């Protein structure tokens, strides 16, 4: 599309990938019966350092779409391209995860494999490939993107008619209003919708139960991405100027969320207390996103080797996202029978490192193979032109953490 590549977006995607892998590594060990309180507390503290992962991918999905498609687009060509590079890999990996879990379930084979209905359910509400829910959500954004892009162009044209300071105030007013509405939505979702679902019949109960699959529940991050795409220079300036304040807000909310989880949990830590669909979690996520973005801007002329590594990781992060849960499954096959009392923190860190290396290695290899775009979303030629498609993962835990996270 002829537009220059914005390096910090790829680097931020690399950081988000690290956060996502760490969250799922933590979720593999924090619920084990033999975990000691010290390890449980440390893993909870690490968990709240990584809450920005999935929402950052939502933000980056939006900013890339609005940046690359700011003009008019052909709807069917646009959707076809998204299906080829995002949904087809989803279908492929859904089957892989579904089959992997059943390979180790003897009853599946004893019944002659008569469990095919569960495969269809995985295409709607992924469980075995627990991170693949993001594809279901982001496809909704792609389907409605032409309409959203038209609204974006109209709003941008209106703001361009305003003078400098007035325009800035208008943008901040837009963010303030949408942010307040979003917090109200999260409040209702976290504190009210669960009881509503229990008192409603189908299909309304199911819609509320799986509300985290709706792209509307992440609406503010799409607005944030549109604002960033509309004026990258101003966005960079704002993020660097806000660094002290975003850092303080993040620190305060980090202490608040950690205390809240430890206070409200029983003998076993419940990470769902700080789900994405909670107002206080939203605050720490936005603060950390702005903080990291500002730091990337400040460091871009100081540590180029590290930033180049982050760019490489970000380029292959979508494939890494698709495969990383499978790598954790494989590692867990060997670690679950072990008695790990006193070692959960160290084993979690080891799992994180192995998963990052293996996932990126698999993603890199598949992306350079013929037909790689059908498996990891981008072939070798596409990567050379400007990077892989971005994606995301669910960041709360393994499949059994779904109910309270919606």
């Amino acid at each position: 599309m002829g537009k220059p590549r914005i390096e910090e977006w790829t680097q931020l995607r690399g950081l988000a990938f690290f956060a996502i892998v760490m969250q799922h590594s933590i979720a593999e060990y924090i619920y084990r019966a033999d975990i000691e309180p010290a390890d449980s507390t440390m893993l909870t503290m690490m968990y709240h350092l990584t809450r920005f992962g999935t929402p950052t991918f939502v933000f980056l999905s939006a900013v890339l779409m609005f940046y690359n498609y700011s003009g008019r687009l052909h709807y069917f060509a646009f959707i076809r391209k998204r299906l080829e590079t995002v949904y087809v890999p989803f279908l492929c990996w859904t089957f892989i995860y579904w089959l992997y879990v059943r390979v180790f379930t003897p009853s599946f084979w004893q019944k002659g494999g008569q469990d095919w209905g569960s495969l269809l359910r995985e295409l709607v509400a992924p469980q075995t490939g627990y991170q693949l829910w993001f594809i279901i959500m982001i496809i909704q954004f792609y389907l409605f993107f032409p309409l959203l892009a038209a609204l974006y162009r109209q709003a941008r044209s209106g703001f361009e008619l305003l003078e400098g300071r007035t325009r800035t105030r208008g943008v901040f007013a837009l963010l303030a209003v949408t942010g307040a509405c979003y917090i109200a939505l999260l409040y209702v979702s976290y504190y009210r919708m669960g009881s509503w679902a229990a008192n409603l019949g189908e299909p309304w109960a199911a819609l509320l139960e799986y509300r985290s699959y709706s792209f509307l529940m992440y609406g503010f991050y799409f607005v944030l991405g549109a604002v960033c795409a509309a004026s990258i220079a101003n966005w960079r300036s704002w993020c660097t100027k806000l660094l002290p304040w975003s850092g303080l807000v993040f620190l305060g909310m980090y202490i608040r969320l950690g205390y809240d989880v430890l206070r409200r949990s029983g003998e076993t830590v419940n990470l769902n207390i700080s789900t994405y669909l909670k107002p206080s979690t939203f605050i720490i996520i936005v603060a950390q996103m702005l903080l990291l973005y500002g730091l990337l801007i400040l460091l871009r002329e100081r540590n180029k080797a590290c930033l180049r590594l982050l760019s490489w990781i970000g380029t292959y992060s979508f494939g890494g996202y698709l495969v990383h849960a499978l790598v954790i499954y494989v590692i867990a096959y060997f670690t679950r029978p072990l008695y790990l009392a006193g070692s959960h923190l160290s084993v979690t860190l080891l799992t994180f490192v192995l998963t990052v290396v293996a996932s990126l290695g698999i993603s890199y290899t598949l992306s350079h193979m013929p037909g790689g775009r059908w498996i990891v979303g981008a072939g070798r030629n596409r990567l050379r032109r400007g990077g892989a498609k971005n994606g995301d993962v669910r960041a709360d835990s393994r499949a059994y953490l779904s109910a309270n996270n919606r």
Side-chain angles (χ1 to χ4, degrees):
M1 281 163 275
K3 291 191 174 183
R5 181 175 179 174
I6 309 301
E7 258 333 292
E8 68 261 21
W9 295 348
T10 311
Q11 294 158 4
L12 188 60
R13 189 160 60 239
L15 291 174
F17 174 73
F18 279 148
I20 287 159
V21 175
M22 177 57 78
Q23 288 170 9
H24 287 135
S25 299
I26 291 171
E28 174 58 40
Y29 297 98
I30 197 169
Y31 292 103
R32 298 196 180 187
D34 59 347
I35 191 170
E36 295 183 353
D39 283 340
S40 182
T41 301
M42 285 300 298
L43 291 180
T44 301
M45 293 172 65
M46 290 169 56
Y47 181 76
H48 286 117
L49 287 174
T50 60
R51 298 304 286 136
F52 71 97
T54 297
T56 298
F57 275 104
V58 178
F59 164 77
L60 291 171
S61 296
V63 75
L64 286 168
M65 287 294 98
F66 287 116
Y67 178 72
N68 289 323
Y69 294 97
S70 57
R72 296 189 178 277
L73 54 87
H74 190 279
Y75 181 78
F76 292 104
F78 170 81
I79 294 299
R80 184 181 68 248
K81 189 175 183 180
R82 303 281 82 72
L83 293 177
E84 290 176 354
T85 57
V86 177
Y87 195 70
V88 172
F90 163 78
L91 295 177
C92 174
W93 286 97
T94 295
F95 179 74
I96 291 173
Y97 281 102
W98 177 85
L99 185 60
Y100 174 83
V101 170
R102 279 148 185 81
V103 164
F104 297 97
T105 306
S107 60
F108 174 75
W109 303 107
Q110 292 169 4
K111 296 178 181 178
Q114 297 174 7
D115 192 26
W116 301 108
S118 63
L119 177 58
L120 297 178
R121 291 192 294 272
E122 290 290 321
L123 298 176
V124 179
Q127 295 297 319
T128 54
Y130 49 82
Q131 83 284 22
L132 298 179
W133 75 276
F134 181 82
I135 304 300
I136 301 295
M137 185 273 291
I138 206 64
I139 285 294
Q140 300 168 49
F141 172 63
Y142 294 152
L143 291 174
F144 286 97
F145 179 73
L147 173 61
L148 299 175
L151 295 175
Y152 167 79
R153 289 192 298 269
Q154 185 176 8
R156 184 175 180 180
S157 299
F159 278 115
E160 287 177 349
L161 297 176
L162 303 176
E163 297 180 355
R165 290 188 176 181
T166 304
R167 182 189 309 162
T168 301
R169 294 191 189 101
V171 172
F172 279 111
L174 172 66
L175 290 176
V177 171
T178 54
C181 292
Y182 185 65
I183 289 176
L185 174 63
L186 294 184
Y187 177 86
V188 173
S189 173
Y190 189 80
Y191 294 103
R192 297 288 185 268
M193 287 187 182
S195 60
W196 293 352
N199 298 321
L200 291 174
E202 299 297 340
W204 307 111
L207 290 175
L208 288 180
E209 181 184 358
Y210 289 93
R211 59 189 177 275
S212 65
Y213 285 45
S214 170
F215 83 105
L216 296 175
M217 298 304 298
Y218 305 87
F220 183 78
Y221 302 110
F222 293 115
V223 174
L224 213 59
V227 171
C228 176
S231 182
I232 299 170
N234 285 333
W235 180 266
R236 288 169 171 169
S237 176
W238 294 338
C239 287
T240 52
K241 290 179 179 179
L242 288 173
L243 270 175
W245 303 107
S246 58
L248 287 173
V249 172
F250 167 73
L251 179 61
M253 294 307 301
Y254 174 74
I255 296 172
R256 163 70 185 275
L257 260 66
Y259 176 76
D260 197 31
V261 168
L262 294 175
R263 180 175 60 88
R264 293 177 56 190
S265 297
E267 294 183 2
T268 302
V269 169
N270 181 11
L271 298 181
N272 278 318
I273 292 173
S274 58
T275 171
Y276 292 134
L277 306 185
K278 183 180 181 181
S280 57
T281 307
F282 161 70
I283 295 173
I284 193 176
I285 289 171
V286 173
Q288 193 171 13
M289 284 173 53
L290 297 176
L291 175 65
L292 292 174
Y293 202 110
L295 290 175
L296 286 174
I297 297 302
L298 288 182
L299 296 175
R300 60 182 174 179
E301 298 298 333
R302 301 181 185 183
N303 198 336
K304 293 185 177 181
C306 181
L307 294 181
R308 281 197 298 269
L309 177 60
L310 276 179
S311 293
W312 185 88
I313 293 169
T315 298
Y316 295 97
S317 62
F318 183 53
Y321 142 69
L322 293 170
V323 73
H324 86 277
L326 183 62
V327 176
I328 293 177
Y329 275 141
V330 173
I331 295 173
Y333 179 79
F334 296 99
T335 61
R336 286 181 184 177
L338 301 177
Y339 181 71
L340 299 175
S343 302
H344 286 80
L345 176 60
S346 57
V347 175
T348 297
L349 294 174
L350 178 60
T351 299
F352 165 75
V353 173
L354 293 176
T355 303
V356 166
V357 172
S359 300
L360 292 174
I362 294 171
S363 177
Y364 176 85
T365 302
L366 292 176
S367 68
H368 286 72
M369 294 176 62
R373 69 194 301 261
W374 304 104
I375 306 174
V376 293
R380 176 169 52 190
N381 292 335
R382 181 171 180 78
L383 291 172
R384 286 176 177 173
R385 287 200 302 267
K389 284 290 173 189
N390 56 305
D392 201 333
V393 294
R394 190 169 200 169
D396 278 337
S397 104
R398 303 196 309 271
Y400 55 73
L401 285 181
S402 59
N404 290 328
N405 195 34
R406 295 182 181 127

